[in-house]
Amino acid sequence: MNQQQTDTSKRLNLVNLNRFREEISHAFGRPPDLIFRKVKELLIVYIAGLVDQARVEKEIIVALESADAGGSYTDMDSPHVQKTDDFDLALQLLLSGMVLIAEPNQSYVIAADAASMPHRSITTSETENVIHGPREGFTELLVTNVALLRRILSSPKLRVHDSCKGTYSGTKIALLYLEGLAPAALISNMQKRLESVQLDGVIDSNYISEQIRDRPRSLFPTLQSTERPDVVADALLKGRVVVLVNNSPFALVAPFLFWNAFQSIEDHFLLYSSANFLRIIRAIFIIMALFLPSLYVAITTFHIEMLPMELMLSIAASRERTPFPAIVEALIMESIFEALREAVVRMPQRLSQTASVLGALVIGQAIVQAGIVSIPMIIVVSITGIASLMIPRYEMTFAVRILRMLLLFMAATLGFYGIAVGIFFTQVYLTGLRSFGVPYLSPIAPLVWKHFQHFFIRKPTAQSEVTTDHKRKKDWS
Amino acid sequence: MKALSTWQIYSLMLLFQMGTNVVFGFAGTAKQDAWIVAFLSTLGAFLLQWLYYKLYATRPGENWTSLLKLSFGRYLGTFLHTVYIVVFLYLAARNLRDLGEVTKVQLLFNTPPIVDMMIFQLLVAYICYAGIQRMGRLAELNMPIIFLFIVLQIILISFSGIMDFSRLMPVAENWNLIATTVFPFSISVPYSETFVFSMFGALTVAPRAYKKAAMLSVASAGLIFTIWDILSVSTLGSTIFSRSFFPLMTTFQMINIADFITNIDPVIVTNYMITLMIKIAVYALATCAGIARLCKLDSYKSIIMPVSLLVIVLAYFMTDNLSSHLFVAINWTGWLILLPLFIVLPAIVLVIMTVKNRRTGEGRKLHEPTTN
C-alpha cells in the first residue's frame, strides 16, 4: 500500500505494549468492534466483522500459543503476512481486515490476513440482461471482480494496477488492461486522469467516472459503465482499459464511442445471422425512439399532405375530439411516460401491480375517452417507449430521451425543417466530442475502414476483430 | 498541419458540388439534352480540377490569398483579396437565399423565410466555430445518409412506372444550345465553385491527395447529375423540366408507390439541407478566413458572428422574388463572378507562379509530395 508515506509519518513504538494499545484505541476513538487480545506476551489487534473469527482462532491464536513466539509468523514468506513500522499504515491494514500481531521491543508489527469483508454473493446482472451467454454480474467486492475477470482471461498479460482514492473512504480502485493490446497512450492517459482525482469519499464508480471522463457535463456518455464481466473482458480484448472501483458493481470502460452504445454483447452470443437481424431491428427502433414523436407532431402540424389520403383522414378524425395542439398532447404523454418510468424504478416491489393498472387503465384508456389525448398519440408514445428500452446502454437512453424532447419542440415550431436543423446541431456537437483521445463518432467520422467493417454487421467470429495480431489494435481512431 | 483525410475532403467536395443542384437539377436550360450537358461539363470539370491541383501544387504551403499577393504584389493583391472576400460572402448569401426560397415554397408555407434563414445561419456559424476538421467529419457523417437518400429516390422513381425514355428524344438536337450551356454556366456552377477550397489549401490535404479527392468527387457528382437529369427528363418531359423552378423536386414529387408512398419532399429537402449546410459553411468559413488574414487576426472565430449577420442581411435583401433570384444566377453570376474569378484568374496565377518557380527553382523543393 502507501509505502512512500513511511518517511513522513509516525513510527510505531512497541517498547510498551500497553501504550501501543492505547495509541491505536485512541486513533479509532475507542470503538466497540476493535478487539485486543493477549496471547502470551503478544498483543493481537483486529476489527470484528472485517475478519473471519474462526480463522483468527485457528490459524493465528492457536498457532501462536503453540509456538515459542511471534517468530513463526515473522519468518513466513507470504503475501498474506507483512511487516510494518508505520503507524498510519498499521491502521490502514487493520481497516482492510488484517490482524496485527505486536511483539514487545520490536520495531515493527506483523499483519496477518484473515479478511472476511461482508459482501454480496455473485448474482445475475440486473441492468444488462441477456438470453444467451454468461449470467454473472460484478459484486461490490473488488477482489471478487478482478477474480471474475482473471477467470475469463487467464493470461499473465492482464495487468492490474492498484491505487487508493478518497481521503476518508480510502477506496481501492484498480486499472486493468491487456498488455500488448491496449495502446500505451491510452493507458498513460487513463493513469494521469486517475491520479488527478480528488475526492473525500468514493461511494460508486460514477464518482470516479465524472472526474476522469471527457466533457463530464455532456448529455452523451463518454465512458461506459457496465455490470457484466463478459462485457469488460470483451472490451479488454479490444484494447480498451477498465477501471474497477471497490464497493461498486459497475466497471468503467474507456474509450466509449457513440456507436458502442447501440451494440449489445449478446450480439456475439447469438447465431451470426440472428444477431445481425437483431441489430437491424434495434437500429430501426432506436431511430424511431429518437424521431417518432417529433415526426408525428411535424406531420400533423405542418405536413399533413405527406400522408396517404386514408391515413390522413383517420388521423384527422381521431384528432377531432382533442382540444390541444399535437405538441401539447405529445408533451403530456411523454412526461407521463417518463414519470411512470421513474416511479417504477423507485417504487417498492409490492406496488408494481398498482403502477401497471394506473398506467394501462387511467393513462391509456381514460385519457383517450376523456378526449385529452388522441389515440394515434398514445400509439406513438407507446412505440417510442418500447423502442427507447431497446438501447443496450442505459446511459445512452438519457441522451436519446432528452434529445427527443428537444426535437419535439423543434418539430412543433418548424416542422421537418426544425427536426433536420436540430439533428444537424447535434451532429456538429458530436463531431467535437472525444473519449480518451478517440473521436466520438469514429469509425464513421473520421472513417476508419478496418473498424468500420465490423461496425454495422457483426462478422462471423472467425473474421472477428478479436485476434492475436497485436499490431492491429495499436491505433484507435 | 493536415487537418483532413482524403475521404473527408472528398465528402466535403462532393456534398459541396451537389449543393443546390439537389433540387434545381442540372442544366435545365438544355431541355432534353441536359444529361449530355451534365456529362460534358464533368469532362470540363476534370480540366478545371487539374488546373486547381496544379495551382495548389506550385506552392503547397500557401493558400489562395497569399498566392495573389505573391503574384500581383502588395496593392493589387490586397485589392483582389478583398474582392474574393466579398464574392465568398455573396455566394454564401446566395445559397442561403436559395434555401429560404425552397423552404418557403416546399416545406414551411407560413413561416417567414427570414426565420428559416436565421436559424440555418446560426447552424452555419456553429459549424464555423467548430472549424474545418469537424466540418470534414460532419461531411463524412452525412455521406451514408445522402447515399441512402439518393438510392431511395432512384429506386422509388423507377418503381413508380412513370418514366418514359422516349422523352429523351431527340438526342443532341441542338449542339449550339448544349455548348452554350456547358460553358460557362454548367462548368462554373457548381464545379468552379470548388475553387473556394483553395482558401484552406495548406490546412486540408497534400496536393496528390487533393487531386485524387477532387477528381473522384467531380466524377461522382457528374455521375449523379447525369442520372438525375435522365430520370428527370424522362419523367417530366423536356418542357416542364426546363420550365420548372425545381425540376428535380418536381420529379420526385411524382413518386407514387401503391398510393402509399406519395409525397417524399421532406426527404429531398433534408437532402438539400445537408448539401447546403456544407456549402454555406465552406463559403462562410472562407470569408472568415479571408477577413482574418486580411486584418491579420489571430483567430477567425471573433468575426464569425458579424459575417453571419452580413450573410443574413445580404440574403434577405438580395432579390425580391425567386424568379429574379434565379435569373441572376443563370445570366450574371456565371459571367461576372465565377468565370473571371474562379477560372481565368487562377489560370493567370498558375502561369505567373510557374514562371516564378522556374526562375527561383523553388517549386521543385516544394513540390515534393507530402504523403498522406
Side-chain angles (χ1 to χ4, degrees):
Chain A
M1 238 175 249
N2 304 337
Q3 295 293 358
Q4 65 269 48
Q5 283 182 6
T6 330
D7 301 321
T8 52
S9 51
K10 202 165 121 188
R11 295 300 167 111
L12 283 167
N13 182 0
L14 296 178
V15 181
N16 184 344
L17 275 187
N18 277 332
R19 204 175 137 210
F20 173 65
R21 174 182 178 155
E22 194 53 37
E23 272 175 354
I24 287 194
S25 194
H26 180 75
F28 280 101
R30 299 172 206 290
D33 55 351
L34 185 65
I35 313 288
F36 295 96
R37 291 178 66 165
K38 269 212 118 104
V39 179
K40 296 184 186 165
E41 75 274 26
L42 305 173
L43 180 70
I44 293 175
V45 194
Y46 59 91
I47 297 178
L50 295 188
V51 298
D52 187 343
Q53 290 278 6
R55 270 180 68 194
V56 174
E57 293 292 338
K58 205 172 88 199
E59 292 174 20
I60 298 175
I61 299 191
V62 174
L64 286 176
E65 273 173 345
S66 61
D68 298 337
S72 62
Y73 258 92
T74 327
D75 300 336
M76 268 177 75
D77 188 21
S78 147
H80 292 293
V81 174
Q82 64 184 99
K83 287 189 262 181
T84 180
D85 57 352
D86 177 32
F87 185 72
D88 287 331
L89 182 56
L91 296 186
Q92 200 53 250
L93 290 173
L94 261 181
L95 283 169
S96 55
M98 301 283 235
V99 177
L100 294 187
I101 304 163
E103 203 177 340
N105 298 324
Q106 289 283 13
S107 63
Y108 55 83
V109 288
I110 301 157
D113 187 19
S116 155
M117 288 282 178
H119 65 277
R120 185 169 63 99
S121 56
I122 298 167
T123 49
T124 45
S125 81
E126 299 266 325
T127 52
E128 295 155 87
N129 293 324
V130 295
I131 295 177
H132 275 83
R135 301 195 182 282
E136 291 159 337
F138 282 131
T139 72
E140 282 77 4
L141 213 57
L142 182 67
V143 190
T144 318
N145 294 348
V146 174
L148 278 173
L149 288 173
R150 286 239 187 250
R151 200 193 61 201
I152 302 176
L153 304 170
S154 311
S155 160
K157 297 270 184 201
L158 178 62
R159 297 294 145 88
V160 184
H161 293 300
D162 252 10
S163 58
C164 258
K165 288 294 161 198
T167 329
Y168 288 95
S169 67
T171 312
K172 258 196 202 171
I173 60 176
L175 169 66
L176 286 87
Y177 58 90
L178 275 175
E179 181 74 43
L181 287 188
L186 176 62
I187 300 167
S188 62
N189 189 348
M190 182 56 113
Q191 273 167 339
K192 211 161 60 198
R193 291 189 197 194
L194 279 177
E195 271 162 27
S196 68
V197 171
Q198 288 290 338
L199 282 169
D200 272 354
V202 181
I203 312 296
D204 182 67
S205 55
N206 192 46
Y207 285 54
I208 302 283
S209 165
E210 279 198 5
Q211 294 220 358
I212 60 172
R213 73 178 193 217
D214 306 66
R215 303 265 197 125
R217 280 174 219 170
S218 168
L219 192 57
F220 294 90
T222 47
L223 197 61
Q224 177 183 352
S225 83
T226 177
E227 215 186 349
R228 297 180 58 89
D230 47 344
V231 173
V232 169
D234 182 60
L236 286 170
L237 282 172
K238 286 182 176 147
R240 303 197 178 119
V241 299
V242 173
V243 175
L244 291 173
V245 177
N246 204 5
N247 306 326
S248 171
F250 288 95
L252 307 174
V253 181
F256 178 62
L257 307 181
F258 183 71
W259 314 105
N260 291 145
F262 307 107
Q263 297 167 345
S264 165
I265 184 74
E266 204 185 3
D267 294 351
H268 295 276
F269 302 154
L270 290 176
L271 221 57
Y272 158 73
S273 45
S274 25
N276 283 324
F277 168 72
L278 280 183
R279 275 202 179 177
I280 294 166
I281 294 285
R282 205 184 293 138
I284 293 171
F285 274 84
I286 289 171
I287 290 171
M288 275 165 93
L290 189 55
F291 289 113
L292 200 59
S294 44
L295 281 181
Y296 177 78
V297 167
I299 287 176
T300 51
T301 320
F302 290 95
H303 319 286
I304 193 81
E305 76 283 350
M306 248 195 90
L307 299 172
M309 186 60 89
E310 287 82 15
L311 189 56
M312 180 172 122
L313 287 178
S314 77
I315 286 184
S318 55
R319 291 202 16 87
E320 181 87 19
R321 286 187 59 214
T322 57
F324 300 118
I327 172 73
V328 178
E329 273 182 57
L331 283 180
I332 292 174
M333 283 315 292
E334 280 290 329
S335 45
I336 289 177
F337 179 75
E338 292 296 329
L340 259 180
R341 225 178 136 150
E342 176 64 12
V344 168
V345 175
R346 307 276 158 252
M347 167 166 76
Q349 285 266 286
R350 289 187 198 174
L351 292 179
S352 61
Q353 204 72 20
T354 328
S356 46
V357 170
L358 273 177
L361 276 180
V362 180
I363 295 158
Q365 190 90 30
I367 210 165
V368 172
Q369 282 176 355
I372 299 173
V373 173
S374 62
I375 297 177
M377 182 51 86
I378 302 264
I379 298 171
V380 164
V381 172
S382 314
I383 295 176
T384 316
I386 292 171
S388 64
L389 292 172
M390 289 175 74
I391 302 172
R393 298 267 170 264
Y394 185 63
E395 309 96 305
M396 194 55 102
T397 60
F398 291 104
V400 170
R401 280 149 71 184
I402 295 170
L403 210 56
R404 181 166 74 213
M405 288 288 193
L406 296 178
L407 286 179
L408 208 53
F409 284 106
M410 296 296 280
T413 46
L414 289 166
F416 275 115
Y417 187 83
I419 300 177
V421 170
I423 282 302
F424 294 154
F425 266 107
T426 317
Q427 284 184 347
V428 182
Y429 175 75
L430 286 176
T431 55
L433 282 186
R434 275 168 181 277
S435 173
F436 289 80
V438 185
Y440 200 46
L441 291 176
S442 167
I444 281 204
L447 185 77
V448 185
W449 180 245
K450 66 184 178 199
H451 295 304
F452 183 78
Q453 299 172 48
H454 302 276
F455 146 76
F456 278 120
I457 301 294
R458 173 174 93 73
K459 290 200 164 182
T461 37
Q463 303 168 26
S464 105
E465 227 174 333
V466 182
T467 55
T468 46
D469 180 4
H470 294 182
K471 276 175 201 155
R472 283 177 56 189
K473 307 290 166 45
K474 280 281 148 53
D475 59 328
W476 252 100
S477 55
Chain B
M1 190 195 81
K2 300 295 177 203
L4 295 176
S5 69
T6 313
W7 169 251
Q8 281 171 335
I9 193 89
Y10 166 81
S11 312
L12 269 176
M13 289 184 89
L14 179 59
L15 294 182
F16 181 89
Q17 286 169 66
M18 284 167 75
T20 47
N21 297 70
V22 172
V23 296
F24 288 108
F26 194 85
T29 43
K31 305 210 169 159
Q32 78 272 20
D33 292 329
W35 65 276
I36 300 179
V37 175
F39 183 72
L40 292 178
S41 312
T42 314
L43 299 183
F46 281 128
L47 278 177
L48 206 59
Q49 287 300 344
W50 184 80
L51 166 72
Y52 297 159
Y53 156 66
K54 275 290 172 197
L55 188 64
Y56 182 20
T58 51
R59 291 289 168 93
E62 308 280 346
N63 50 58
W64 174 238
T65 46
S66 47
L67 276 185
L68 276 177
K69 230 164 265 179
L70 276 175
S71 322
F72 297 111
R74 198 169 143 208
Y75 295 105
L76 191 56
T78 309
F79 170 71
L80 285 171
H81 187 158
T82 321
V83 170
Y84 273 94
I85 292 173
V86 174
V87 164
F88 290 147
L89 187 73
Y90 172 75
L91 288 172
R94 266 207 80 76
N95 283 293
L96 188 65
R97 181 59 185 251
D98 282 342
L99 179 93
E101 293 294 339
V102 172
T103 317
K104 189 187 169 194
V105 175
Q106 301 291 346
L107 215 54
L108 298 169
F109 317 103
N110 301 321
T111 316
I114 181 75
V115 176
D116 310 336
M117 294 197 293
M118 274 161 74
I119 289 174
F120 206 75
Q121 187 58 39
L122 199 65
L123 171 68
V124 168
Y126 184 35
I127 300 173
C128 291
Y129 273 113
I132 186 95
Q133 188 176 28
R134 278 168 69 183
M135 200 191 282
R137 283 190 202 149
L138 184 67
E140 65 185 333
L141 182 63
N142 279 299
M143 283 294 280
I145 303 176
I146 286 278
F147 178 75
L148 200 73
F149 280 174
I150 289 177
V151 170
L152 194 74
Q153 284 171 9
I154 293 174
I155 290 176
L156 288 181
I157 195 90
S158 315
F159 281 86
S160 295
I162 44 172
M163 279 189 343
D164 181 1
F165 286 108
S166 69
R167 292 188 180 120
L168 289 169
M169 306 292 248
V171 176
E173 186 190 21
N174 185 350
W175 277 106
N176 202 17
L177 181 65
I178 293 175
T180 49
T181 321
V182 170
F183 191 84
F185 181 67
S186 296
I187 284 198
S188 58
V189 181
Y191 295 119
S192 77
E193 289 185 287
T194 54
F195 183 63
V196 65
F197 283 95
S198 64
M199 288 293 285
F200 321 110
L203 268 179
T204 52
V205 287
R208 286 275 171 87
Y210 174 84
K211 185 171 85 172
K212 194 171 142 198
M215 293 296 178
L216 279 176
S217 74
V218 166
S220 318
L223 183 71
I224 293 170
F225 292 152
T226 312
I227 293 174
W228 270 347
D229 275 347
I230 292 175
L231 287 180
S232 195
V233 172
S234 53
T235 305
L236 297 175
S238 62
T239 322
I240 301 180
F241 175 71
S242 61
R243 222 190 281 153
S244 169
F245 280 143
F246 313 119
L248 270 181
M249 194 82 191
T250 318
T251 309
F252 292 118
Q253 277 169 342
M254 306 289 284
I255 286 175
N256 182 349
I257 306 245
D259 281 332
F260 187 75
I261 303 172
T262 50
N263 209 330
I264 63 161
D265 335 3
V267 171
I268 299 156
V269 176
T270 314
N271 222 336
Y272 176 62
M273 286 171 76
I274 292 173
T275 55
L276 263 198
M277 169 172 72
I278 299 295
K279 195 160 187 173
I280 302 175
V282 169
Y283 276 134
L285 194 61
T287 314
C288 295
I291 294 177
R293 277 173 214 148
L294 189 68
C295 307
K296 299 195 170 55
L297 298 177
D298 290 336
S299 163
Y300 68 91
K301 290 191 175 166
S302 54
I303 44 171
I304 290 174
M305 269 346 231
V307 164
S308 296
L309 209 63
L310 267 179
V311 171
I312 294 172
V313 170
L314 201 57
Y316 188 64
F317 291 107
M318 188 171 274
T319 66
D320 295 329
N321 54 46
L322 182 57
S323 306
S324 73
H325 186 63
L326 293 185
F327 178 82
V328 171
I330 291 168
N331 295 307
W332 289 0
T333 42
W335 283 111
L336 274 180
I337 297 176
L338 300 176
L339 185 63
L341 291 181
F342 285 21
I343 299 176
V344 176
L345 207 57
I348 295 173
V349 171
L350 175 63
V351 173
I352 295 176
M353 290 317 295
T354 315
V355 172
K356 273 197 177 175
N357 277 351
R358 284 266 163 76
R359 210 172 282 165
T360 56
E362 197 175 357
R364 197 142 305 144
K365 186 179 72 202
L366 284 166
H367 197 82
E368 291 295 311
T370 31
T371 45
N372 195 341

